[in-house]
Amino acid sequence: TAEKEIKNWHKDWAAVSRRETLTDRRTGWCAGPALTSPKELREMLSVLKASKSRIEWFAVGPEYALATGDWLNPAEPYRDRMGSVSRSIAEYNMGPALRLAPFLVSRKSELAAEKRDWLVRSSKGSPLVVPGYSGDREMAYVLDVTHSEVIPHITRLFTVMRDQWGFRNFVLERVGDAAVT
């Protein structure tokens, strides 16, 4: 349950930081794969608020997207609701955040199908693969940040997430994957 998660989080925070919980840095909550719909989001936010945890930001996990890499294409429970998701988080006095791996691309994603020339390639010319994201068993591709269209694509992602959806914080994961040779 969420109450148990919160209690464990407080215990782990104290053990790792050796500080009073939440007194000297901005602290947030990263939702995991258990968060599968906006309804569950509101329930989780309600529990967090009731716990008086003073969490300053709340990040929706990468499962909101239809596929890794298709970050602007939300899965069905979130489709056309990302703006209301960020507003729901803000209503609980937490900064709306998203957790994502901006340089990873699922082999099943629309991006991989449409923009194959944006992927890092091996010396033999085939797209390079790395372990999948967030516990996926499948392998994933990596965006080639030296390709002239990739950085504008990443800029557009974050512009939409910030200006249209209303997210103000981002937890970037697997950024080092872009440094593959």
Side-chain angles (χ1 to χ4, degrees), residues 114-142:
E114 295 172 5
K115 305 293 185 180
R116 295 204 52 89
D117 60 322
W118 289 13
L119 306 174
V120 173
R121 304 212 168 265
S122 72
S123 59
K124 296 179 181 173
S126 60
L128 190 72
V129 293
V130 297
Y133 181 66
S134 188
D136 284 346
R137 290 192 175 135
E138 72 162 299
M139 299 298 277
Y141 298 130
V142 179

Side-chain angles (χ1 to χ4, degrees), residues 127-166:
L128 190 72
V129 293
V130 297
Y133 181 66
S134 188
D136 284 346
R137 290 192 175 135
E138 72 162 299
M139 299 298 277
Y141 298 130
V142 179
L143 287 177
D144 181 353
V145 295
T146 66
H147 188 285
S148 64
E149 295 179 67
V150 169
I151 296 303
H153 165 74
I154 298 294
T155 301
R156 182 177 166 272
L157 284 178
F158 288 105
T159 300
V160 168
M161 292 170 176
R162 182 192 66 212
D163 296 347
Q164 292 178 21
W165 292 357

Side-chain angles (χ1 to χ4, degrees), residues 50-100:
S51 75
K52 298 185 181 355
S53 294
R54 296 185 324 214
I55 293 171
E56 295 177 307
W57 54 267
F58 183 96
V60 175
E63 295 81 10
Y64 82 86
L66 198 56
T68 298
D70 292 340
W71 302 117
L72 295 181
N73 192 3
E76 187 52 43
Y78 295 99
R79 189 168 314 284
D80 300 323
R81 293 187 179 104
M82 294 307 286
S84 66
V85 165
S86 70
R87 283 189 302 279
S88 292
I89 296 168
E91 287 169 4
Y92 284 88
N93 296 319
M94 295 178 211
L98 285 176
R99 230 177 86 223
L100 66 150

